[in-house]
Amino acid sequence: MKNITKNWKYLKHLFWGGPILIVMGLSAGAIADSWIPIPLGMIAAGIVIIMAWAILQSSDDVTSPGQQFWGRRSAQAGTNALFATLAVVAILALINFVAARNAARVDLTENQVLTIAPQSQQLVRNFNIPVKVWIFNPNQNSQDVELLENYRRQNSKFSFEYVDPNAKPNLTQKFGVTELGQVYLEYGARRKFVQLVSEVERLSEIKLTNALQQIKSDRSDKVYFLQGHGELSLQPGQEAISLAVQSLDEKNYKSEPLNLAERGQVPTDASVVVIARPKQALFAAEVNALRDYLRRGGSVLLMVDPNTNPGLDSLLKEWGVKLDNRLVINASSRQVQGFGPAAALVTEYGEHPITKDFANRYSFYPYARAIELVPTVGVDATPLLLTNDQTWAESNPENPELKLDQNTDIKGPLTLGIALSRKLEFGQPSPPSPSPSSDKPKTESRLVVIGNSSFATDGLFGQQLNGDVFLNSVGWLSQRDNQTLSIRPKQANNRRINITPQQFSVLALIAVALVPLIGFVGGGILWWKRR
């Protein structure tokens, strides 16, 4: 009898393993959507333990003659504790089940560096058939995997796989892999190279999102760059715009030069015509060709510097735009990228799709001219780039002592860029669609005028928001209103505290000696009072 009592004191605690195993089995089966073999085994083991406990409880009457088990106070208390415990375990299991089926992440980093951009999220969610990223490298990188997991959380159709090229030669040959670290996209029957990853260069969200956009879209808009008047070159070199052209190619545009004097008219497949820093005036026939193109629903991006006359005054007048020839001076910051006061710094932007995500970030325009806007019937105009009140349009930039002259200069804020649109006239035929996917006919013509071209040149294109201004302008002009415009790389801010060696020594002394000493003294005083 004593042995039974002694053993039962320990064996009765084994009961708690029963409900725990049952809850674990139910949770595992529900989440994995498979009940064999592990979840079912857990449930069976839990039931066996509970049955064994019930049998032992029934036989426990021999240890306490004259008193039934369920009539004992200890049994009633134990039963209450049992149901309370089962309720807690069930609630925890339910919480884990809901959390597993509805996973949520909160990015508390300052610049949301652990979250992909809203443009990337929206793009991935729109995939209706599977899209897969193949990384031809047997070694996984945690940073790249985290980025790919961020994409996969947006859509179950998105997946990725690391491949050892030597282990799967057929797959390697299928994609034409020539180097370890190449990354490819597969979307239906389409395959596209994304980039080459290495220890130096990790997988880029910008490149991956651009590749996803290109492989999903059949649309390839053509952007023509006007040539023949001293415009910026499309090839790398001085006074070139090659990086802007390259960025357009990455966004599924096709860029080509346009000699309007030879062609006589803008090609019918043109989505946008870019006029970047013409040094000589256009011929009257070229101006008329651009006017006719705009009247048919075309789009033009004009970037023009001070002290130049593109010969477009009559065309711009129809849109209510007037180019001021004075040089914009920035008195609030005398040294922007080494350009001194001639570099106009912009932090204020208009409410427009081109600049909607710019907030208070910087873009700058060396040697810029202001633009005046005259309200015109039928034309919707929105200022894009606005300087602060510390700027002015200088009529005499050769003066070594630049100073605002109220009689000849114009005090800021000044407008450096304007976006304009105009509905097509009734009965005016719209141009043919530039691509098969552009099934919606154009209903308006669009024009963006920026009083500067240097911001888009190779040396400055990647600085601050300069490239975004150009790319977003082309995106809006091509009427890709529902497509990704631009994605900026995210960088963690440096929040380190720079201190001198002497300051470090003082902090170390406080942490190692002073703080513990205060604790010891406080404890000693408390002990003395209680003694």
Side-chain angles (χ1 to χ4, degrees):
M1 186 72 66
K2 291 182 179 180
N3 291 335
I4 295 176
T5 303
K6 182 178 179 180
N7 293 334
W8 174 243
K9 182 174 65 174
Y10 300 104
L11 290 175
K12 65 181 181 180
H13 294 295
L14 295 177
F15 161 78
W16 300 110
I20 291 175
L21 285 173
I22 292 175
V23 172
M24 290 174 60
L26 292 173
S27 300
I31 294 173
D33 201 18
S34 175
W35 298 93
I36 299 175
I38 296 177
L40 188 59
M42 288 182 176
I43 295 172
I47 294 174
V48 169
I49 291 175
I50 293 176
M51 292 176 63
W53 175 83
I55 294 172
L56 290 173
Q57 287 283 21
S58 299
S59 64
D60 188 41
D61 291 340
V62 297
T63 64
S64 302
Q67 186 179 10
Q68 293 297 322
F69 169 74
W70 297 109
R72 302 174 196 166
R73 180 177 297 177
S74 60
Q76 295 174 359
T79 302
N80 292 335
L82 168 62
F83 283 108
T85 304
L86 289 176
V88 171
V89 173
I91 291 172
L92 292 176
L94 181 61
I95 292 174
N96 280 275
F97 174 77
V98 173
R101 288 299 180 93
N102 301 276
R105 301 170 73 248
V106 179
D107 189 354
L108 299 179
T109 56
E110 181 178 2
N111 294 330
Q112 301 289 291
V113 295
L114 302 180
T115 305
I116 58 177
Q119 299 98 318
S120 301
Q121 297 179 27
Q122 185 61 40
L123 178 64
V124 177
R125 291 169 185 166
N126 289 336
F127 277 88
N128 297 321
I129 63 175
V131 57
K132 188 168 185 177
V133 179
W134 296 90
I135 306 97
F136 289 90
N137 192 331
N139 302 317
Q140 298 187 14
N141 178 273
S142 59
Q143 179 180 336
D144 294 348
V145 171
E146 175 64 24
L147 176 62
L148 292 168
E149 288 287 358
N150 276 332
Y151 279 88
R152 184 158 63 181
R153 292 186 186 99
Q154 308 302 322
N155 192 338
S156 60
K157 301 290 185 182
F158 182 94
S159 62
F160 64 92
E161 182 177 342
Y162 279 82
V163 178
D164 185 351
N166 297 324
K168 296 184 177 180
N170 293 336
L171 190 62
T172 303
Q173 184 178 7
K174 172 184 175 182
F175 282 89
V177 177
T178 58
E179 190 174 352
L180 190 68
Q182 289 184 340
V183 181
Y184 282 86
L185 272 179
E186 186 175 27
Y187 179 66
R190 304 179 188 176
R191 292 184 290 272
K192 180 174 180 58
F193 173 75
V194 179
Q195 70 171 104
L196 179 69
V197 296
S198 63
E199 293 299 326
V200 178
E201 182 176 1
R202 301 313 326 159
L203 187 61
S204 166
E205 178 189 350
I206 297 175
K207 293 181 179 180
L208 181 54
T209 296
N210 286 335
L212 286 168
Q213 176 180 309
Q214 292 173 27
I215 202 172
K216 186 176 185 293
S217 174
D218 292 325
R219 177 174 178 175
S220 180
D221 295 292
K222 270 195 176 182
V223 179
Y224 284 92
F225 288 80
L226 190 65
Q227 299 289 288
H229 316 87
E231 290 89 352
L232 296 172
S233 172
L234 307 186
Q235 303 300 323
Q238 290 185 344
E239 296 189 343
I241 199 170
S242 63
L243 288 181
V245 173
Q246 178 183 341
S247 297
L248 288 175
D249 293 340
E250 292 174 353
K251 290 184 174 293
N252 213 27
Y253 290 93
K254 290 183 179 179
S255 304
E256 290 187 13
L258 171 62
N259 193 318
L260 200 52
E262 293 180 357
R263 288 211 180 196
Q265 65 177 5
V266 177
T268 57
D269 62 349
S271 294
V272 182
V273 173
V274 178
I275 306 175
R277 190 194 289 177
K279 294 182 178 179
Q280 291 86 35
L282 278 65
F283 294 118
E286 294 177 295
V287 177
N288 289 331
L290 289 172
R291 180 182 287 109
D292 180 62
Y293 170 66
L294 285 169
R295 287 177 176 174
R296 292 186 291 113
S299 300
V300 173
L301 171 59
L302 173 62
M303 302 184 296
V304 58
D305 294 343
N307 297 320
T308 59
N309 180 18
L312 295 170
D313 290 345
S314 60
L315 174 61
L316 295 177
K317 185 178 181 180
E318 298 175 6
W319 289 76
V321 176
K322 182 180 179 181
L323 300 175
D324 188 276
N325 198 42
R326 284 167 282 204
L327 180 67
V328 176
I329 298 299
N330 176 23
S332 61
S333 180
R334 295 275 177 180
Q335 294 294 327
V336 179
Q337 289 293 110
F339 290 101
L345 193 66
V346 171
T347 57
E348 296 291 333
Y349 304 93
E351 294 291 333
H352 193 272
I354 294 176
T355 55
K356 65 178 181 178
D357 297 323
F358 287 3
N360 295 318
R361 293 183 290 168
Y362 294 114
S363 59
F364 59 95
Y365 307 85
Y367 309 109
R369 68 195 304 172
I371 299 173
E372 298 179 21
L373 180 62
V374 179
T376 303
V377 177
V379 176
D380 292 328
T382 303
L384 296 176
L385 312 171
L386 305 169
T387 66
N388 56 37
D389 57 4
Q390 299 297 310
T391 60
W392 71 87
E394 175 62 50
S395 58
N396 186 19
E398 303 298 330
N399 189 343
E401 296 184 4
L402 295 175
K403 187 177 180 180
L404 175 64
D405 188 333
Q406 299 287 353
N407 297 322
T408 59
D409 302 336
I410 302 178
K411 189 179 185 306
L414 304 171
T415 300
L416 303 186
I418 297 177
L420 310 104
S421 63
R422 183 172 58 191
K423 299 294 182 182
L424 294 182
E425 297 178 5
F426 179 76
Q428 182 69 42
S430 62
S433 298
S435 70
S437 65
S438 304
D439 51 0
K440 292 183 179 180
K442 293 184 177 180
T443 59
E444 64 181 19
S445 53
R446 295 180 175 182
L447 173 66
V448 172
V449 182
I450 299 178
N452 180 257
S453 65
S454 299
F455 78 97
T457 56
D458 288 354
L460 301 178
F461 182 80
Q463 300 292 327
Q464 302 298 329
L465 292 177
N466 286 12
D468 296 69
V469 172
F470 177 85
L471 294 175
N472 288 7
S473 296
V474 174
W476 180 74
L477 288 168
S478 64
Q479 304 196 27
R480 288 187 173 187
D481 293 24
N482 297 322
Q483 298 197 18
T484 302
L485 291 176
S486 179
I487 302 174
R488 297 296 299 169
K490 299 178 181 179
Q491 297 179 349
N493 291 335
N494 184 2
R495 297 300 183 188
R496 297 177 181 176
I497 300 176
N498 297 319
I499 60 176
T500 64
Q502 293 79 9
Q503 292 172 327
F504 178 80
S505 300
V506 172
L507 289 175
L509 181 63
I510 293 174
V512 175
L514 185 57
V515 173
L517 181 60
I518 292 174
F520 280 121
V521 172
I525 294 173
L526 185 61
W527 170 81
W528 180 261
K529 288 184 176 181
R530 291 184 175 180
R531 185 178 66 88

